[in-house]
Amino acid sequence: EGEEDPKEWTEAEVSQMEQSAVLQAIEHTVTPKLVEEDLQTFRGLVQDVFASSSSVFDGDSLLSEAIIEEACKSFHLIPSASLSQKILQLNAVLNNAHGVMLVGPAGSGKSSSMRLLIESLKLAGGVGVELYVINPKAITKEQLFGVLDPTTREWTDGVFTSLVRRFND
């Protein structure tokens, strides 16, 4: 009830919905990966290609700028619109990807952004998040993933595999 029958949509409406879906997919996958300097260029290109559509990165409906602002206060950080956008983007990337690397120079806010996102998610709906940081360069491949003893055929979990087992149990 209350939903339109797709057979009643005009060709222009279908085209607009398709453009909107493509634009949203592009923004959700590309925007979070861009640095501030490249963001304006990207938005200009998107506007040229999708002139009739307009979209602003909206992130996740669970999080809002107000919640992120509250989380900032708990970490004694100064909230800003750009910080909120980055947190929303990080959340979107984590929702769409199996693995994420936060890269940037020391002191650029990588760890703080992750902690801020975790706190924001907790404030938004009591979502429990556990963060485990593993430096794969600090240990061997066998220590990271595990190893099969060739003599006894006994498997020994590595750091990563033991965490995966812990989550699955």
Side-chain angles (χ1 to χ4, degrees), residues 5 8 19 22 34 47 71 73 75 107 113 120-121 127 143:
D5 183 3
E8 296 176 10
Q19 274 194 7
V22 169
L34 298 176
Q47 186 61 39
K73 290 175 185 170
F75 286 108
S113 294
S120 298
L121 289 170
V127 176
Q143 291 170 322

Side-chain angles (χ1 to χ4, degrees), residues 24-46:
Q24 187 175 20
I26 290 170
E27 286 200 9
H28 278 258
T29 55
V30 177
T31 302
K33 299 172 188 172
L34 298 176
V35 294
E36 194 65 38
E37 299 83 45
D38 295 337
L39 198 53
Q40 296 301 359
T41 305
F42 171 74
R43 290 223 164 105
L45 290 169
V46 168

Side-chain angles (χ1 to χ4, degrees), residues 150-169:
T151 308
T152 64
R153 309 289 289 164
E154 186 175 313
W155 176 259
T156 304
D157 279 343
V159 174
F160 179 74
T161 49
S162 66
L163 286 173
V164 170
R165 281 188 201 282
R166 187 171 157 195
F167 292 132
N168 286 333
D169 291 341

Side-chain angles (χ1 to χ4, degrees), residues 12 15-17 19-20 23 46-55:
S15 177
Q16 181 63 35
M17 285 187 275
Q19 274 194 7
S20 180
L23 181 57
V46 168
Q47 186 61 39
D48 289 346
V49 175
F50 298 97
S52 63
S53 297
S54 65
S55 175

